[in-house]
């Protein structure tokens, strides 16, 4: 693979020829998910189970089913309010903790310091660990880089063409109220203070960062001699290919982790006839095609579904390979504006120091 991150879980990957699917014998485990090597030497499943918007028993049953099926990575967040359900599913699955890669996220409300002068992220990490029923997380991600509340969205269902209308009454409202770009950097440094090969956090990363913000962060890491983010989790799919950030991550040895690979809301990728037709030519579903597109762009993936059949289908993506022609055809569906890096749910200006 291009960026050298890959540790193949399937030797058969190199045997795929053209668009023909591999036929596995009944005794073969076709769900041996490839692993990606992190900058700190750790390893992360390339395909993890996403839990965004999953709540209560739906989340518990979904995570339990995924773990029993063979998923060995879970993506959650404090703001998802489902960490406890993930913990119960992990316990009931019987899968040892050290065989599951767990990543959660720090919400923007917990940037900066509290009244006691201590970083707010410290207590939030302890809370996430309690909720998850674990002594450590494999990856701790900064969820959002900006302060929020200034614009008339999210969410918006009219696309990027909708006029950006500042909410005048929110002019001085931010989360936290004293937010600044410098606070984002200091919060990252505070998160890094917890990194240890045997401690509460094994690696850190960021989500939803623009290219400018990511470059600024890496400069800050160099200046302060901090670990660089191991992962950047941003939206990525054929309608929003995120090429500038993806390319920069590849150059810097950072894993790009895609969310919303199958679209969501008004971004109806799986109904796009171009995608449907290409999927039909490989005898796969549109979802499998979109996930395979992500694999061949060297992305880490976070498919989610509460239905066991779909969870299974989302792992059946290692026995076919898209041609260069079809990869280019899917790439050509890109609809994003220059430097746009969100589309499905958090539409805002492209560089969120304002939102």
């Amino acid at each position: 693979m291009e960026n050298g991150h890959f540790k193949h879980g399937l030797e058969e990957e190199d045997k795929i020829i053209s668009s023909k699917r591999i036929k596995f014998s009944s005794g073969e485990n076709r769900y041996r998910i490839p692993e990606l090597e992190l900058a700190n030497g750790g390893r992360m499943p390339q395909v993890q189970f996403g839990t965004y918007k999953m709540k209560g028993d739906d989340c518990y049953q979904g995570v339990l089913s995924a773990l029993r099926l063979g998923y060995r990575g879970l993506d959650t967040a404090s703001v998802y309010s489902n960490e406890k359900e993930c913990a119960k599913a992990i316990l009931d699955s019987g899968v040892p903790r050290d065989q599951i890669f767990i990543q959660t996220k720090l919400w923007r409300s917990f940037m900066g310091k509290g009244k006691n002068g201590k970083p707010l992220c410290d207590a939030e990490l302890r809370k996430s660990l309690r909720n998850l029923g674990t002594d450590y997380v494999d990856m701790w991600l900064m969820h959002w880089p900006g302060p929020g509340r200034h614009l008339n969205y999210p969410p918006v269902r009219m696309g990027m063409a909708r006029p950006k209308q500042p909410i005048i009454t929110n002019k001085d409202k931010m989360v936290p109220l004293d937010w600044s770009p410098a606070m984002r950097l200091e919060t990252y440094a505070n998160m890094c203070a917890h990194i240890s090969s045997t401690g509460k956090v094994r690696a850190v990363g960021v989500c939803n960062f623009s290219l400018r913000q990511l470059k600024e962060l890496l400069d800050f890491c160099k200046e302060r001699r901090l670990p660089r983010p191991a992962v950047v989790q941003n939206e990525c799919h054929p309608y929003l290919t995120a090429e500038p950030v993806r390319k920069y991550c590849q150059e810097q040895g950072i894993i790009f982790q895609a969310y919303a690979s199958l679209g969501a809301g008004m971004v109806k990728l799986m109904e796009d006839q171009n995608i449907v037709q290409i999927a039909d030519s490989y005898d796969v579903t549109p979802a499998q095609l979109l996930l395979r597109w992500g694999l061949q762009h060297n992305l880490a993936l976070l498919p989610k579904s509460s239905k066991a059949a779909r969870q299974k289908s989302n792992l059946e993506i290692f026995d076919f390979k898209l041609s260069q022609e079809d990869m280019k055809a899917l790439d050509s569906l890109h609809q994003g504006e220059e430097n746009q890096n969100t589309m499905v749910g958090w539409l805002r200006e492209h560089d969120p120091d304002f939102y």
Side-chain angles (χ1 to χ4, degrees):
M1 295 292 182
E2 293 176 7
N3 63 8
H5 287 307
F6 286 80
K7 300 291 184 183
H8 290 291
L10 287 175
E11 295 178 359
E12 291 87 351
E13 177 76 14
D14 295 328
K15 300 178 185 177
I16 299 173
I17 300 174
S18 185
S19 63
K20 295 181 180 179
R21 303 191 68 168
I22 294 171
K23 300 301 181 182
F24 288 81
S25 67
S26 59
E28 287 182 285
N29 177 9
R30 66 191 303 174
Y31 303 130
R32 285 179 290 163
I33 300 170
E35 292 184 331
L36 310 181
E37 186 173 344
L38 300 171
N40 66 356
R43 296 166 79 170
M44 178 181 82
Q46 187 178 8
V47 181
Q48 297 187 53
F49 186 69
T51 65
Y52 177 54
K53 289 190 175 181
M54 299 181 75
K55 305 289 185 183
D57 191 60
D58 183 57
C59 180
Y60 166 73
Q61 295 292 346
V63 173
L64 182 62
S65 171
L67 290 172
R68 287 176 172 172
L69 183 63
Y71 286 85
R72 289 297 180 265
L74 294 176
D75 175 77
T76 183
S78 59
V79 78
Y80 294 175
S81 299
N82 63 14
E83 290 175 326
K84 290 183 178 180
E85 288 75 13
C86 289
K88 186 175 186 300
I90 291 169
L91 181 64
D92 292 348
S93 74
V95 180
R97 168 65 184 91
D98 62 3
Q99 293 182 21
I100 304 173
F101 189 97
I102 300 175
Q103 57 184 48
T104 192
K105 307 178 189 75
L106 176 75
W107 187 235
R108 65 187 181 201
S109 305
F110 302 98
M111 290 188 180
K113 295 183 178 180
K115 294 180 180 179
N116 61 2
K118 296 181 180 180
L120 291 170
C121 68
D122 292 358
E124 191 66 6
L125 173 61
R126 292 193 294 270
K127 180 180 178 181
S128 282
L129 292 174
R130 287 196 303 271
N131 288 341
L132 288 165
T134 183
D135 295 329
Y136 69 96
V137 289
D138 298 278
M139 181 70 62
W140 194 25
L141 297 151
M142 181 180 290
H143 203 154
W144 192 259
R149 296 195 175 182
H150 286 131
L151 297 182
N152 59 327
Y153 50 71
V156 175
R157 297 184 178 180
M158 296 174 61
M160 290 300 292
R162 178 170 177 168
K164 299 178 178 66
Q165 299 173 1
I167 301 175
I168 302 302
T169 55
N170 282 7
K171 180 180 179 181
D172 298 320
K173 293 182 180 180
M174 294 186 292
V175 182
L177 291 175
D178 59 344
W179 184 91
S180 69
M183 181 183 288
R184 174 177 61 234
L185 298 175
E186 287 301 326
T187 298
Y188 180 85
N190 293 332
M191 293 172 69
C192 286
H194 294 280
I195 296 176
S196 167
S197 61
T198 58
K200 296 178 180 179
V201 176
R202 304 300 162 85
V204 298
V206 297
C207 306
N208 300 298
F209 269 50
S210 69
L211 180 60
R212 183 192 64 78
Q213 291 170 330
L214 187 55
K215 288 182 175 180
E216 181 183 71
L217 176 60
L218 264 58
D219 287 343
F220 177 74
C221 290
K222 183 177 181 180
E223 176 186 338
R224 296 280 290 270
R225 297 183 178 180
L226 296 170
R228 304 198 305 173
V231 166
V232 171
Q233 185 187 120
N234 277 17
E235 181 180 344
C236 184
H237 45 72
Y239 283 7
L240 190 67
T241 58
E243 186 174 357
V245 177
R246 282 197 294 114
K247 182 179 179 181
Y248 186 67
C249 285
Q250 180 177 329
E251 292 170 351
Q252 299 299 320
I254 298 170
I255 293 172
F256 186 103
Q257 188 173 60
Y259 71 79
S261 296
L262 309 183
M266 297 300 290
V267 183
K268 300 186 182 301
L269 287 165
M270 292 192 289
E271 297 178 14
D272 186 301
Q273 286 306 300
N274 296 291
I275 291 171
V276 171
Q277 289 175 12
I278 296 174
D280 286 345
S281 73
Y282 288 86
D283 192 26
V284 299
T285 67
Q288 290 170 326
L289 180 83
L290 291 165
L291 293 171
R292 183 69 211 187
W293 175 86
L295 286 182
Q296 290 184 217
H297 272 308
N298 298 342
L299 310 182
L301 304 172
L302 302 168
K304 74 179 183 74
S305 176
S306 60
K307 301 182 183 301
R310 290 182 182 173
Q311 294 173 359
K312 179 175 179 289
S313 177
N314 287 341
L315 287 183
E316 294 175 338
I317 56 175
F318 302 108
D319 59 349
F320 69 102
K321 187 174 184 179
L322 306 181
S323 67
Q324 290 186 358
E325 180 181 2
D326 287 330
M327 286 293 291
K328 290 179 180 178
L330 292 169
D331 291 345
S332 72
L333 299 178
H334 177 71
Q335 300 175 7
E337 298 178 11
E338 185 178 2
N339 295 323
Q340 181 180 345
N341 71 337
T342 58
M343 182 178 286
V344 300
W346 292 84
L347 297 176
R348 37 72 172 157
E349 61 276 33
H350 306 160
D351 192 347
D353 271 2
F354 183 64
Y355 182 75

